[in-house]
Amino acid sequence: ANISKFHSAQVMQDISVETSPGVVCTQRMVPIADVGLYIPGGNSPLFSTVLMLAMPARIAGCKNVVMCTPAGKDGKVHPAILYAAWKCGVANIFKSGGAQAVAAMAYGTESVPRVSKIFGPGNRFVMEAKMQVNSDGVAIDMPAGPSEVMVVADAEADARFVASDFLSQAEHGPDSQSILLTTDAAFAERLPKVIDEMLATLPRQEMMKKSLSHSHIILLKDNDEVMDFVNDYAPEHLIINTVDADLLAERVENAGSVFLGPYSPESAGDYASGTNHTLPTSGYAKAYSGVNIDSFTKKITFQRLSKAGLEGIGKAVEAMAEAEDLMAHRLAVAVRLGDEYKRVPLLPILSKKGRFFFTTKPKKLKAKKRKYGIQSQRISATKHTFTCALQFGTQRIQRHCKCLARCQRKSIQWPIQPLPRPTSEAGERTLVGHKRCGCQPHISRQWQR
C-alpha cells in the first residue's frame, strides 16, 4: 500500500501555458507502451523488486509488461515472485536470467516480445548487458549493478545499528560493498568487533565475508570532508545516522536514496516505506535518479498557434533562422504570413581584433564601423557563391566560397584568425579548405604597401 501511495502521488497532470497571445504550449504525460522487467533471483527470490517495478508500471498505464527472472536450482520460478507478479497484473513471465534475458527483451525472440525500455537491477553482467543494448537503441532505467551502502555515523550512533546496516548490505551478494564515514576514531575502532559478533549469528556467512572483505571504514576530519566524500562517491544507499542528520541531508547532492536518523534502515526502503529500491549504482547517482513514475512515461509537448500568435513571434523566428543560415525555416514562417520571400543578408562586421558581429540594420553597421575603425564593406551573394570583402587599415581580405548551398554563407561566419605577414615578394598568402564544412574555398589576403 505504501509503494502504491507514494508512486501514485508522483503522477503529473497535463500542463498548458499560453506563452504569448495566440501561442498555447501543452505538455502531456504518456506511458511507454512496452516495458521489460528484470527480476534477479540468483541468491534470493527478490519478489520485492517485482513490486518496485510492476506497480509503478501499472500506475503509469504501460500496456505490455514483460518480466524475465531466472529459475531456481529446481528449475522453477519461486512462488513468491509469481504471486507478486500476479498481484501487479503481470501476465508475460519468462524463465530467463542474466545477460541473455536482457538481450531477449531488447531484441525479441520467438517467445519473448521486444520491449522499448528495460528495468531492473542485477549483477555486473546484467548491468553491462543493459549498457550495451542501450547503445543499440533500447532505453534502460539506469545502470544498476552490485548494491552498495554508505553510512555516515557520529559518536552518538549505536554501533549495533551501523553493524546491522553493513551486514544487511553484505547479504545482497559477494560483490556488494559497505562503507562507513565517521569523524570519531573510537567509533571506527569499535565497529569491526561488533560486526564480527553479529555476523556469527547469521546464515550465509561465507558470502557475506566476501562482501565485507572489500568494505571500508574511513575516518575523516570533519563533516565538510564527509559530505565531499559522499557527493563524490554518489552511493546507491546513504544512511545518515548522526545527531545533525537533517543538516547534513541538505548538503546531499549525489545519492540514490537517503535514510535519515537511527531508525531508518535501508531495509525499510527495500520493502515497505514506499520509495523505490531500484537505484543507480557505481557512481551513476551523479546523473541518474532511482525508478519512479517518470521512468515509465514520456512527456510529449504540443503547441497550437493562431495566425495572430504566429505574427507575434514571426519576426523573431525569421531573424533567428536567418542568423543560423536556415533559410527554409524562415520560409516556413514567411509563406504562412503571406510575406514575399526576400533574403535579407546579414551584414558582417569585423573588428581590428578579429571579432565578428552581425546586423541587418545599416544604422547599426555604421555605428560599428565608427567604433571599430572599419573603412569600407562590400557584400555580394548568389546561390552557390558568397563573397565578402572588408577593408580596414592597410589589410584587405577577400573570401570566395564555392561550396553547396547548405554552407554558402558559413565561411563569413567563422572568425578570421590573423595570419603572419607574408614574406614573399608578391605579398600574398593563400589557404585552401574549410575546417568545418569540408568544401574547397579560396581564401586570400593581400597586403597593400
Side-chain angles (χ1 to χ4, degrees):
N2 287 351
I3 299 171
S4 177
K5 185 184 298 183
F6 184 71
H7 287 78
S8 296
Q10 300 173 15
V11 177
M12 292 184 60
Q13 301 300 318
D14 293 350
I15 300 171
S16 184
V17 179
E18 187 174 20
T19 56
S20 60
V23 181
V24 179
C25 299
T26 303
Q27 177 181 278
R28 192 175 74 195
M29 189 173 75
V30 179
I32 300 173
D34 307 305
V35 297
L37 314 181
Y38 181 80
I39 310 300
N43 295 317
S44 301
L46 299 183
F47 64 88
S48 60
T49 303
V50 179
L51 302 176
M52 295 292 177
L53 297 178
M55 198 170 292
R58 184 184 67 184
I59 294 171
C62 299
K63 294 180 180 179
N64 304 311
V65 180
V66 176
M67 191 180 88
C68 286
T69 185
K73 294 181 180 180
D74 58 355
K76 299 179 180 179
V77 175
H78 197 280
I81 292 179
L82 295 176
Y83 180 75
W86 175 74
K87 289 291 287 184
C88 294
V90 179
N92 296 323
I93 305 173
F94 299 91
K95 270 194 305 187
S96 180
Q100 57 270 31
V102 175
M105 291 188 287
Y107 304 111
T109 68
E110 293 181 357
S111 56
V112 182
R114 181 175 180 175
V115 300
S116 301
K117 189 172 183 178
I118 298 175
F119 297 79
N123 59 24
R124 61 184 183 276
F125 301 108
V126 171
M127 177 178 171
E128 177 60 26
K130 288 173 64 179
M131 297 288 281
Q132 289 193 23
V133 300
N134 183 232
S135 65
D136 207 15
V138 180
I140 63 172
D141 52 354
M142 73 197 77
S147 189
E148 60 205 23
V149 67
M150 178 170 283
V151 183
V152 177
D154 58 13
E156 303 300 322
D158 190 323
R160 295 175 305 159
F161 292 2
V162 177
S164 65
D165 293 330
F166 263 60
L167 295 171
S168 65
Q169 184 62 37
E171 202 170 34
H172 278 291
D175 49 3
S176 298
Q177 186 180 53
S178 304
I179 295 177
L180 169 69
L181 303 182
T182 184
T183 58
D184 187 75
F187 186 87
E189 293 178 2
R190 186 167 69 254
L191 183 63
K193 182 179 180 181
V194 180
I195 292 175
D196 291 338
E197 291 174 354
M198 299 181 73
L199 176 62
T201 65
L202 296 172
R204 302 188 180 187
Q205 293 184 24
E206 292 302 318
M207 182 186 70
M208 295 168 73
K209 286 180 180 178
K210 292 180 181 179
S211 173
L212 292 172
S213 66
H214 48 259
S215 296
H216 304 281
I217 297 174
I218 301 174
L219 182 65
L220 297 173
K221 182 177 62 176
D222 52 32
N223 284 340
D224 291 336
E225 281 193 353
V226 168
M227 296 314 299
D228 287 344
F229 195 106
V230 166
N231 289 320
D232 189 53
Y233 185 88
E236 176 190 15
H237 304 98
L238 173 62
I239 300 175
I240 305 180
N241 188 351
T242 63
V243 174
D244 56 349
D246 291 332
L247 293 176
L248 294 181
E250 294 178 358
R251 301 172 61 180
V252 175
E253 297 176 1
N254 302 318
S257 189
V258 184
F259 303 81
L260 302 175
Y263 296 100
S264 304
E266 176 192 330
S267 305
D270 282 346
Y271 294 109
S273 68
T275 61
N276 205 291
H277 76 203
T278 307
L279 304 167
T281 64
S282 305
Y284 283 101
K286 291 180 179 179
Y288 288 85
S289 303
V291 165
N292 53 64
I293 287 295
D294 286 350
S295 305
F296 293 89
T297 63
K298 306 165 292 183
K299 292 182 175 62
I300 303 177
T301 56
F302 302 81
Q303 47 264 308
R304 179 184 292 276
L305 284 73
S306 64
K307 184 175 182 180
L310 184 59
E311 289 174 346
I313 65 172
K315 290 184 179 179
V317 174
E318 290 188 48
M320 293 174 73
E322 173 78 17
E324 292 187 348
D325 197 26
L326 300 175
M327 303 312 297
H329 283 61
R330 181 182 183 276
L331 178 62
V333 175
V335 296
R336 283 171 168 78
L337 297 180
D339 297 338
E340 181 182 354
Y341 177 65
K342 295 181 180 180
R343 180 168 184 164
V344 181
L346 286 174
L347 305 178
I349 305 169
L350 182 66
S351 72
K352 292 182 179 180
K353 294 183 178 180
R355 294 183 59 192
F356 254 127
F357 301 91
F358 292 91
T359 181
T360 57
K361 299 180 179 180
K363 290 184 178 179
K364 288 188 177 181
L365 177 62
K366 292 179 180 179
K368 293 293 184 181
K369 281 184 177 181
R370 289 195 300 269
K371 181 176 180 180
Y372 292 100
I374 300 177
Q375 297 178 1
S376 65
Q377 173 167 305
R378 177 173 60 85
I379 298 179
S380 62
T382 62
K383 186 175 181 180
H384 295 286
T385 304
F386 191 94
T387 302
C388 173
L390 298 175
Q391 182 176 341
F392 57 97
T394 59
Q395 187 176 7
R396 181 180 177 83
I397 303 173
Q398 190 172 24
R399 315 189 97 202
H400 302 275
C401 181
K402 297 180 180 179
C403 54
L404 296 177
R406 65 183 176 84
C407 57
Q408 60 180 317
R409 299 183 60 230
K410 286 184 178 178
S411 62
I412 67 161
Q413 296 181 13
W414 303 331
I416 299 177
Q417 301 297 330
L419 293 175
R421 187 179 181 88
T423 56
S424 62
E425 289 293 330
E428 181 178 342
R429 180 178 178 126
T430 300
L431 303 178
V432 177
H434 276 178
K435 292 182 179 179
R436 297 189 184 180
C437 71
C439 64
Q440 296 295 320
H442 174 79
I443 306 173
S444 65
R445 291 192 174 201
Q446 295 179 341
W447 299 81
Q448 296 180 355
R449 298 186 179 182

